[in-house]
């Protein structure tokens, strides 16, 4: 029996249901893992900072108060606070009315963070001490995604309906006949072709950028070309980190950029592009601040409790509230005018996907919007900026990290399939970047074969580069099969680790470093799919006199995405009699891991455990054929 094709209406209703499941699971996890903990336990696990020092407080645009805080304990401990997280500032002082104020973390810098509160006024208990901050459940992201999906569902006979039909498989995108563009000398042929497609696209243009192929470089040049004919281009990405990188790269290309929303790092080179700082540097900014402070003071005075409260006091209170409202109104009108001026002069506005729903962009439409790292974006989140677009450019690689989905049921329903992946599955026109500039050809080869149908070519400048020295093969697999290195489970976080495998890695690394002078150390990364193995490896390195001074980065695969090093070690961890491989089933995640190394990739694992999976069996055969296949017995003391 033939399956009937799913209608657009059914597809979007299904997305709405999957979004509900994901929100429910996210909230339940938050409730279970965070809200149920005591304050002491929340601090210990990095979900709270307490006690805090107040470093600075004040007001930012849109009648929003801000507070910069500094933690005074657990200074070296990891924590969960990130830019864009929803958080609650609180006091432990007894008998305080409204002891919590919600807000959004704007940035985190070492042991300091800035929170923008969702209120006009600073809390009056701020100077009383016993202040802390908690991570909260972020409902706003889900609300914006749901709102966007509903607008897409309701679209009829308009531009959004046309874009919906293209992305969901009912229509084919159009391109102008001949786009005469000068070949950009800094780009290769496939990159130039992608830029031409960006300019020629009337509806949608797709850049498929495998690891190391210069996706961001191509995108920046494409955006630069768009700014020659369009007033302002909106450039977005799923994460603050990706948006910051784009902001930096676009600015370096000579483009006038304004960064909207929460920023994740505060270097001067980036801060100058933010709307906050550009507002702050405007001559009228001092007047706005002064008026807002006066209004806040009037509201504070009006809100004071008095024992005697007659007609005269009631009139005075009403007058103060009225004056505060008038001051705020004038300040807001002036601020809105300044924001409009700043955005009007921008060639490019950058923000996260959810940031595209920002109030400061509420009345703006764009000829073209760009979504970078589109393969990591949940489909409903991608629709948020598309609501403002006439034309859409997506850039990413569905063969690398997928969107993060916490609900298993939502994942089974396809909630982790991004909009760019949906589009590429349909076989519609796209631009594949074909020359990679990161890896030795042998390191690239397996990924190229499995994910990219051997369409990629290593640039001449990197195809043969390797680490100097006698033991320098670009691709090494160290097999722990038969060594008895059984994986272990850390009960608290349900994460796996393998101390004996880590020891073999250490031995191999010590031999490698012993071959060269200290000043000749190549850059090194050690990555693993398992957080507990990462923690174990970090302790191992800090305990080693020979390793603690070497340039070594240790991280999870997700944490290391977008980075590269001369040498990369991958610790696979899994070693058990049942052949269970857990996270290793996610071959897209392994594609990320295997494509971070420039000159040498060393993978350590148990072939007896991983070999029953076709992907790893093929990898083992590839290493045996073109790499160096070693046994851990050689490195055991």
């Amino acid at each position: 029996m033939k399956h009937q094709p799913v209608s657009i209406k059914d597809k979007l209703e299904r997305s709405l249901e999957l979004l509900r499941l994901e929100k429910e699971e996210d909230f339940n996890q938050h409730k279970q893992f965070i809200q149920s903990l005591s304050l002491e336990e929340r601090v210990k696990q990095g979900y709270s900072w307490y006690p805090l020092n107040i470093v600075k407080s004040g007001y930012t645009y849109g009648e929003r108060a801000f507070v910069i805080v500094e933690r005074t304990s657990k200074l070296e401990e990891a924590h969960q606070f990130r830019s864009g997280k929803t958080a609650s500032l609180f006091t432990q002082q007894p008998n305080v009315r409204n002891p919590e104020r919600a807000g959004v973390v704007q940035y985190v810098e070492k042991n300091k963070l800035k929170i923008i509160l969702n209120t006009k006024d600073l809390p009056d208990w701020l100077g009383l001490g016993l202040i802390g901050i908690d991570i909260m459940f972020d409902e706003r992201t889900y609300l914006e995604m749901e709102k966007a999906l509903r607008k897409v569902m309701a679209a009829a006979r308009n531009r959004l309906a046309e874009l919906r039909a293209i992305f969901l498989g009912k229509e084919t995108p159009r391109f102008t006949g001949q786009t005469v563009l000068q070949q950009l000398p800094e780009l290769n042929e496939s990159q130039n072709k992608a830029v031409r497609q960006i300019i020629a696209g009337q509806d949608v243009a797709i850049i498929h950028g495998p690891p190391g192929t210069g996706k961001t470089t191509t995108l920046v040049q494409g955006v630069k070309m768009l700014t020659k004919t369009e007033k302002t281009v909106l450039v977005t990405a799923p994460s603050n980190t990706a948006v910051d990188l784009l902001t930096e790269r676009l600015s370096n290309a000579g483009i006038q950029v304004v960064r909207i929303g929460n920023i994740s790092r505060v270097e001067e080179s980036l801060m100058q592009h933010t709307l906050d700082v550009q507002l702050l540097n405007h001559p009228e900014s001092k007047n706005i601040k002064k008026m807002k402070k006066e209004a806040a003071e009037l509201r504070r005075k009006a809100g004071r409790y008095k024992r005697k409260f007659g007609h005269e006091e009631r009139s005075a209170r009403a007058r103060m509230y009225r004056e505060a409202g008038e001051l705020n109104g004038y300040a807001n009108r002036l601020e809105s005018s300044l924001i409009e001026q700043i955005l009007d002069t921008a060639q490019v506005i950058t923000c996260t996907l959810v940031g595209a729903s920002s109030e400061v962009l509420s009345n703006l439409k764009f000829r073209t919007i760009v979504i970078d790292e589109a393969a990591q974006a949940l489909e409903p989140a991608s629709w948020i900026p598309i609501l403002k677009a006439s034309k859409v450019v997506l850039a990413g690689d569905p063969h690398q990290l997928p969107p993060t989905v916490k609900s298993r049921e939502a994942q089974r329903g396809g909630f982790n399939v991004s909009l760019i992946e949906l589009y590429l599955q349909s076989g519609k026109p796209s631009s594949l970047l074909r020359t990679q500039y990161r890896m030795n050809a042998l390191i690239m080869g397996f990924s190229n074969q499995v994910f990219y149908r051997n369409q990629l070519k290593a640039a001449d400048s990197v195809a043969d580069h390797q680490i100097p020295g006698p033991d320098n093969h670009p691709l090494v697999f160290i097999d722990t099969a038969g060594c008895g290195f059984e994986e272990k489970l850390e009960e608290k976080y349900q994460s796996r680790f393998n101390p004996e495998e880590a020891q073999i890695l250490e031995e191999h690394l010590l031999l490698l470093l012993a071959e060269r002078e200290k000043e000749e150390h190549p850059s090194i990364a050690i990555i693993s799919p398992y957080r507990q193995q990462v923690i174990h490896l970090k302790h191992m390195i800090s305990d080693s006199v020979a390793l603690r001074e070497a340039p070594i980065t240790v991280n999870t695969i997700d944490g290391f995405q977008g980075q590269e090093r001369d040498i990369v070690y991958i610790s696979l961890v899994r070693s058990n009699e049942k052949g269970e491989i857990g996270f290793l089933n996610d071959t897209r995640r392994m594609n990320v891991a295997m494509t971070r190394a420039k000159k040498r990739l060393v993978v350590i694992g148990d072939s007896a455990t991983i070999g029953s999976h076709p992907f790893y069996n093929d990898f083992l055969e590839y290493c045996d054929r073109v790499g160096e296949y070693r046994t851990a017995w050689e490195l055991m003391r």
Side-chain angles (χ1 to χ4, degrees):
M1 182 179 170
K2 284 183 91 173
H3 289 288
Q4 291 296 314
V6 179
S7 72
I8 285 178
K9 181 175 178 288
D10 289 345
K11 164 73 181 71
L12 291 169
E13 282 180 350
R14 179 64 177 151
S15 292
L16 209 55
E17 171 60 16
L18 297 176
L19 179 62
R20 185 192 64 77
L21 291 171
E22 178 65 7
K23 179 183 177 181
E24 202 173 81
E25 177 63 23
D26 198 2
F27 178 70
N28 288 339
Q29 285 188 22
H30 180 89
K31 198 172 176 182
Q32 181 182 345
F33 295 129
I34 302 176
Q35 290 182 354
S36 61
L37 301 174
S38 67
L39 176 56
E40 183 183 10
E41 195 61 31
R42 292 200 306 274
V43 171
K44 188 177 176 183
Q45 295 194 27
Y47 296 113
S48 298
W49 285 7
Y50 180 85
L52 297 172
N53 286 333
I54 305 298
V55 177
K56 189 179 179 183
S57 61
Y59 300 89
T60 182
Y61 68 89
E63 298 182 65
R64 305 280 290 282
F66 77 82
V67 182
I68 298 175
V69 299
E70 182 176 44
R71 63 174 171 171
T72 57
S73 64
K74 309 282 184 187
L75 300 184
E76 301 304 318
E77 296 292 321
H79 60 81
Q80 305 297 322
F81 287 90
R82 301 287 183 272
S83 166
K85 287 270 190 185
T86 303
S88 173
L89 195 69
F90 66 86
T91 179
Q92 289 285 93
Q93 288 286 359
N95 305 318
V96 170
R97 288 180 63 196
N98 302 319
E100 297 178 4
R101 293 290 177 89
V104 176
V105 176
Q106 187 179 41
Y107 70 76
V108 182
E109 186 186 39
K110 294 184 179 175
N111 289 303
K112 289 182 185 176
L113 68 77
K114 179 178 178 181
I115 178 171
I116 308 288
L117 301 176
N118 299 335
T119 56
K120 296 177 181 179
D121 302 326
L122 291 162
D124 50 15
W125 42 257
L126 204 56
L128 300 179
L130 302 184
I131 306 294
I133 188 168
D134 278 331
I135 283 178
M136 292 175 65
F137 176 67
D138 180 16
E139 189 178 33
R140 180 188 168 229
T141 298
Y142 290 103
L143 292 175
E144 294 298 343
M145 287 195 285
E146 182 182 347
K147 201 188 300 180
L149 270 180
R150 292 194 183 280
K151 285 182 179 178
V152 173
M153 290 171 75
R157 293 185 294 278
N158 59 11
R159 187 58 179 147
L160 181 57
E162 291 170 356
L163 291 172
R164 178 187 65 193
I166 290 167
F167 278 115
L168 299 184
K170 303 300 180 184
E171 299 291 341
T172 302
R174 300 162 300 160
F175 296 86
T176 55
Q178 286 296 317
T179 302
V180 181
L181 277 181
Q182 187 180 354
Q183 195 89 341
L184 299 172
E186 60 268 47
L187 301 184
N188 63 43
E189 179 50 45
S190 64
Q191 290 171 329
N192 269 296
K193 184 182 174 187
V195 171
R196 286 195 294 272
Q197 192 171 90
I198 288 172
I199 305 306
Q202 294 178 271
D203 310 294
V204 172
I206 305 292
I207 301 176
H208 183 181
T213 55
K215 171 178 63 66
T216 305
T217 300
T218 307
L219 198 56
V220 167
Q221 290 302 321
V223 171
K224 192 173 182 179
M225 296 297 293
L226 288 171
T227 61
K228 293 180 179 180
T229 56
E230 300 180 20
K231 187 173 183 295
T232 309
V233 179
L234 181 65
V235 176
T236 67
S239 70
N240 278 296
T241 305
V243 176
D244 287 344
L245 174 63
L246 284 164
T247 303
E248 197 170 13
R249 294 286 295 274
L250 288 161
S251 172
N252 290 343
I255 297 167
Q256 178 65 36
V257 188
V258 175
R259 167 74 156 98
I260 299 294
N262 303 299
I263 54 175
S264 58
R265 59 177 188 262
V266 288
E267 290 96 328
E268 203 57 43
S269 61
L270 184 61
M271 285 290 285
Q272 65 183 339
H273 302 300
T274 64
L275 182 60
D276 305 55
V277 170
Q278 293 192 40
L279 264 177
L280 193 66
N281 291 340
H282 197 282
E284 286 289 348
S285 177
K286 286 181 182 175
N287 292 332
I288 294 172
K289 252 186 181 173
K290 186 182 174 187
M291 284 187 279
K292 287 192 174 183
K293 279 188 176 176
E294 286 175 8
E297 182 60 21
L298 281 167
R299 282 195 301 272
R300 192 182 66 78
K301 285 179 180 176
R304 277 184 186 160
Y305 174 78
K306 294 178 182 177
R307 287 182 65 188
K308 181 190 173 194
F309 200 80
H311 175 73
E312 193 177 323
E313 287 79 11
R314 197 171 287 112
S315 297
R317 172 180 279 188
R319 178 181 51 78
M320 283 189 279
Y321 274 132
R322 187 174 62 252
E323 287 177 13
E326 287 169 357
L327 273 171
N328 254 334
Y330 184 70
N332 288 338
R333 286 193 296 275
L334 182 55
E335 188 175 69
S336 295
S337 175
L338 296 186
I339 289 171
E340 197 176 315
Q341 286 176 34
I342 292 166
L343 296 182
D344 200 51
T345 61
Q347 292 176 286
V348 170
I349 295 172
T350 59
C351 63
T352 61
L353 301 175
V354 177
S357 65
S358 167
E359 192 179 340
V360 297
L361 299 179
S362 59
N363 296 320
L364 296 183
K365 294 283 186 183
F366 301 87
R367 168 76 184 100
T368 303
I369 70 105
V370 176
I371 302 177
D372 192 16
E373 302 297 354
Q376 289 184 56
L378 290 168
E379 182 203 328
S382 294
W383 288 114
I384 298 171
I386 293 173
L387 297 177
K388 297 180 169 297
S390 175
K391 167 178 162 179
V392 181
V393 177
L394 301 185
D397 180 13
H399 300 306
Q400 296 187 64
L401 289 185
T404 301
V405 176
K406 295 179 180 178
S407 164
R408 288 186 180 178
E409 193 177 344
Q411 192 163 38
R412 282 195 294 270
F415 198 54
N416 61 340
V417 179
S418 62
L419 206 54
I420 191 172
E421 187 173 0
L422 273 174
Y423 179 96
L424 288 170
Q425 285 172 355
S426 70
K428 295 192 184 83
S430 64
S431 294
L432 175 69
L433 304 182
R434 296 172 183 270
T435 305
Q436 73 84 15
Y437 296 91
R438 176 185 298 157
M439 295 162 270
N440 180 292
L442 292 181
I443 298 173
M444 177 194 79
F446 182 69
S447 174
N448 191 19
Q449 167 189 308
V450 173
F451 295 102
Y452 307 108
R453 294 180 294 166
N454 289 319
Q455 294 179 88
L456 307 186
K457 179 181 181 296
D460 292 342
S461 57
V462 302
D464 299 315
H465 67 178
Q466 54 193 47
I467 301 296
D471 184 15
N472 64 354
H473 200 287
L475 179 63
V476 181
F477 181 77
I478 300 173
D479 195 350
T480 65
C483 296
F485 295 172
E486 196 81 4
E487 67 193 52
K488 295 173 174 55
L489 179 68
E490 200 284 327
E491 293 291 343
K492 188 175 180 182
Y493 296 107
Q494 292 293 295
S495 183
R496 297 178 189 274
F497 65 109
N498 194 320
E500 290 88 2
E501 184 174 289
Q503 194 175 345
I504 292 297
L505 190 155
E506 181 183 19
E507 290 298 323
H508 191 273
L509 187 50
L510 286 169
L511 288 171
L512 182 142
L513 295 179
E515 293 173 1
R516 47 197 39 84
E517 298 293 329
K518 187 175 180 180
E519 59 271 15
E520 294 177 353
H521 282 349
S523 59
I524 301 166
I526 304 172
I527 56 182
S528 176
Y530 291 92
R531 185 167 294 281
Q532 198 58 36
Q533 183 75 341
V534 167
I535 292 168
H536 184 83
L537 289 162
K538 283 181 176 177
H539 288 316
M540 178 193 82
I541 288 171
S542 64
D543 291 344
S544 169
V545 176
L547 295 180
R548 69 172 69 129
E549 299 300 323
I552 301 172
T553 303
V554 185
N555 212 331
T556 59
I557 296 170
D558 293 44
F560 197 68
Q561 201 208 11
Q563 300 184 61
E564 58 184 38
R565 293 292 186 274
D566 292 326
I567 300 171
V568 171
Y569 284 84
I570 304 175
S571 176
L572 296 179
V573 176
R574 299 310 296 258
S575 180
N576 57 73
E577 290 181 359
K578 295 179 180 177
E580 293 175 347
I581 64 172
F583 282 160
L584 301 188
N585 274 304
D586 188 347
T587 56
R588 289 191 288 188
R589 188 164 263 105
M590 288 311 300
N591 185 35
V592 172
M594 291 175 175
T595 54
R596 301 302 100 195
K598 296 197 282 186
K599 300 178 180 179
R600 193 170 207 209
L601 174 65
V602 182
V603 182
I604 305 172
D606 180 349
S607 65
T609 299
I610 66 173
S612 58
H613 191 287
F615 175 87
Y616 294 99
N617 183 61
D618 289 348
F619 178 68
L620 295 172
E621 287 180 1
Y622 180 78
C623 289
D624 199 28
R625 189 171 73 253
V626 305
E628 187 178 272
Y629 196 112
R630 299 179 64 177
T631 172
W633 290 103
E634 300 171 37
L635 296 162
M636 293 172 70
R637 291 177 179 176

